[in-house]
Amino acid sequence: MCAHIQGRLAGKVALVTGIASGIGQACALMFARQGARVVGCDLDAAGAERTIALAQAEGLCLDSLHPCDLTDPGQARELVMFSVALHEEFDCLVNAAAFAAFAWIEEMDYQSHWQKTLVAELDSVFLLCQAAWPVLRERGGGSIINFASANAWMALEGSPALAHCAGKGGVLAMTRQLAMEGGPHGIRVNTLSPGLIETGATRDHLARDPALRQTALSKQMLRQRIGLPEDVGWAAIYLASDESAWVTGSDLTIDAGATAS
């Protein structure tokens, strides 16, 4: 039984993807702590189960469909139907699931690096937005939060992020278009653009290339540390809440000032 929590998202239902780790996990748990009933998913079934256990230990409301491959149109639709079956409708979609292959252009393989990254970062967002759109229209609106990146705005020296930059730049542009299409229906669509965030995936990369951490810090205006998933989660809570009722087509950078310097 979920605890009754009065928070900034009390009474809302949120779909959050990529809940097994990193930013997606942080958003799922933080949304639930703010009173939302969260429906999550992840391709990593074991990781999703660990996140559910964390939520249950706090008495939070978190269900999950896993494994779930959001690059498959059928599975994207299945996630929407799973949420509707549980809660009849939902208020918010958080497209936090991510995958990117990092390689310099001369070493980049078209299928396993370039194509796989663009499918994971663009197709998955498009497919779930498309599947969720009729539900949000029917309920008279809602909030979609997509994830771009500081890499959509700048190249970080030492980071072989060509495919990732292209994918996140595409999310940024796609979100503007979705905001325009959603406006008449009350559907707000915004992006968050995190800088370098310390997650399980980036931690391994930083361990292999210690100079990258210092390069990232040198780009920031706040140089005490790189970002944490919770830094992004608080911004997502704002965009999911009624506090941002007049915000759409916007990109909120969570990067310690890196893209402003």
Side-chain angles (χ1 to χ4, degrees):
M1 185 71 179
C2 302
H4 182 68
I5 300 170
Q6 289 299 323
R8 293 164 66 190
L9 302 180
K12 294 189 181 296
V13 177
L15 267 68
V16 182
T17 71
I19 68 165
S21 61
I23 293 171
Q25 182 187 67
C27 286
L29 294 173
M30 292 172 72
F31 274 46
R33 290 176 190 134
Q34 290 295 323
R37 290 168 290 170
V38 177
V39 179
C41 77
D42 207 291
L43 192 58
D44 176 3
E49 290 287 348
R50 287 192 292 271
T51 301
I52 290 172
L54 291 172
Q56 289 175 341
E58 296 185 42
L60 302 175
C61 189
L62 173 57
D63 295 286
S64 176
L65 180 67
H66 53 267
C68 180
D69 182 358
L70 294 173
T71 66
D72 179 333
Q75 292 188 48
R77 290 191 296 270
E78 184 182 359
L79 175 62
V80 170
M81 291 187 291
F82 177 72
S83 180
V84 170
L86 286 172
H87 301 296
E88 296 186 356
E89 61 181 18
F90 49 85
D91 307 84
C92 179
L93 168 60
V94 183
N95 278 306
F99 167 83
F102 289 83
W104 302 110
I105 188 168
E106 293 179 327
E107 301 161 359
M108 182 167 287
D109 178 76
Y110 171 65
Q111 289 185 324
S112 64
H113 292 154
W114 176 264
Q115 196 169 51
K116 187 174 181 180
T117 297
L118 292 189
V119 168
E121 294 194 335
L122 278 175
D123 291 22
S124 63
V125 174
F126 160 72
L127 289 170
L128 192 50
C129 285
Q130 186 181 52
W133 205 261
V135 178
L136 293 174
R137 278 194 62 173
E138 179 67 23
R139 73 172 299 279
S143 174
I144 295 177
I145 303 167
N146 294 330
F147 282 80
S149 168
N151 277 132
W153 295 100
M154 71 174 193
L156 181 63
E157 186 176 353
S159 177
L162 181 63
H164 179 60
C165 290
K168 292 305 188 181
V171 170
L172 196 65
M174 177 168 58
T175 299
R176 293 192 199 103
Q177 175 69 22
L178 288 173
M180 182 273 290
E181 295 187 21
H185 312 295
I187 301 173
R188 301 185 296 107
V189 195
N190 296 285
T191 49
L192 295 175
S193 284
L196 183 59
I197 305 297
E198 188 152 359
T199 65
T202 59
R203 203 171 292 122
D204 292 342
H205 191 54
L206 288 166
R208 290 193 299 270
D209 185 6
L212 183 60
R213 181 186 296 267
Q214 193 54 47
T215 301
L217 288 171
S218 70
K219 289 287 293 180
Q220 298 176 186
M221 294 178 179
L222 301 174
R223 295 180 178 172
Q224 295 86 352
R225 62 174 175 85
I226 62 172
L228 299 174
E230 290 76 14
D231 294 318
V232 184
W234 286 117
I237 287 168
Y238 166 69
L239 290 177
S241 75
D242 295 337
E243 300 160 17
S244 59
W246 211 50
V247 180
T248 195
S250 293
D251 178 64
L252 183 54
T253 54
I254 316 297
D255 64 359
T259 54
S261 61

